[in-house]
């Protein structure tokens, strides 16, 4: 079946530190991959995506590269800010009509000044 | 693009009562999805509509749950005879008909608390 595994949190960093949140997937097809971010009391927002192998998605200083050989889509940011504190979800969608995504459990990021 | 709107934002009710939530998707989006999210978990799929047709339902969706999208625009999710375990955030998302690379656009959810 399809699944997404994320590293457990919380991840606690100081401002300007380097961030990596690991994400791996298993899929029966050729998925598109997404990172979503959720701030307290809000729904999920798309952060970035990649739709084919070796594609790099990027947004607001965050990046992730679709690695088919390692079935991974790790999220990185070179210098985090306090405002990046949120929960980050990795997700995949496979073709088949409904495009229902499979989400990871989420990784909480806490950034201290 | 006014975004996905969900109402109410919060609902507190006693066990055994019925509740109904509403979702207004982005107007040009054909696809509408309902999810349930509990603390420390990712969204769990409940059901999916394309236009007014309900095309998929998760086995999580017991017979106490029903969803409609009567005119292919807004949708409602009703829970009958609520139970403690129904306490969760209920999220709605929409997306245009397209390809597997289309992301979902989420509302801010309805938080349900069962007393």
């Amino acid at each position: 079946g399809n699944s997404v595994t994320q590293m457990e949190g919380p991840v606690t960093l100081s401002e300007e530190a380097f961030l990596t949140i690991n994400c791996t997937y298993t899929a029966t097809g050729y998925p598109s991959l997404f990172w979503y971010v959720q701030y307290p009391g809000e729904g999920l927002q798309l952060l970035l995506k990649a739709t084919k192998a070796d594609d790099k998605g990027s947004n607001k200083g965050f990046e992730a590269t679709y690695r088919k050989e390692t079935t991974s889509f790790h999220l990185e940011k070179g210098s985090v800010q306090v405002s990046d504190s949120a929960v980050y979800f990795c997700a995949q969608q496979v073709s088949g009509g409904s495009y229902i995504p499979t989400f990871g459990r989420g990784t909480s990021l806490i950034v201290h000044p | 693009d006014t975004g996905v709107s969900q109402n109410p934002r919060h609902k507190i009710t006693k066990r055994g009562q019925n509740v109904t939530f509403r979702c207004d998707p982005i107007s040009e989006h054909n696809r509408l999805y309902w999810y349930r999210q509990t603390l420390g978990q990712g969204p769990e799929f409940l059901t999916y509509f394309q236009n007014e047709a309900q095309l998929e339902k998760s086995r999580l969706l017991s017979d106490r749950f029903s969803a409609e999208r009567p005119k292919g625009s807004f949708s409602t999710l009703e829970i009958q005879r609520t139970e403690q375990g129904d306490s969760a955030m209920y999220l709605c998302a929409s997306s245009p008909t397209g390809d597997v690379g289309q992301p979902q656009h989420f509302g801010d959810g309805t938080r349900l608390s069962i007393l």
Side-chain angles (χ1 to χ4, degrees), chain A residues 36 41 49 93 97-98 105, chain B residues 9 31 33 56 100-101 104:
Chain A
Y36 290 87
K49 70 173 188 179
Q93 285 177 194
S98 60
R105 293 182 62 172
Chain B
R9 291 295 313 276
R31 296 167 181 249
Y33 304 76
E56 285 202 42
V100 68
Q104 307 239 317

Side-chain angles (χ1 to χ4, degrees), chain B residues 74-92:
Chain B
F74 74 92
S75 176
T76 58
L77 177 68
E78 181 183 17
I79 309 175
Q80 296 183 326
R81 305 180 303 281
T82 52
E83 301 173 356
Q84 292 282 353
D86 297 332
S87 294
M89 174 79 88
Y90 289 84
L91 294 167
C92 176

Side-chain angles (χ1 to χ4, degrees), chain A residues 19 47-48 57-64 75-77 84 88:
Chain A
L19 168 70
L47 181 59
L48 53 84
S58 60
N59 185 27
K60 299 180 182 179
F62 291 89
E63 294 183 338
L75 183 67
E76 297 182 336
K77 187 175 186 183
D84 293 328
Y88 292 82

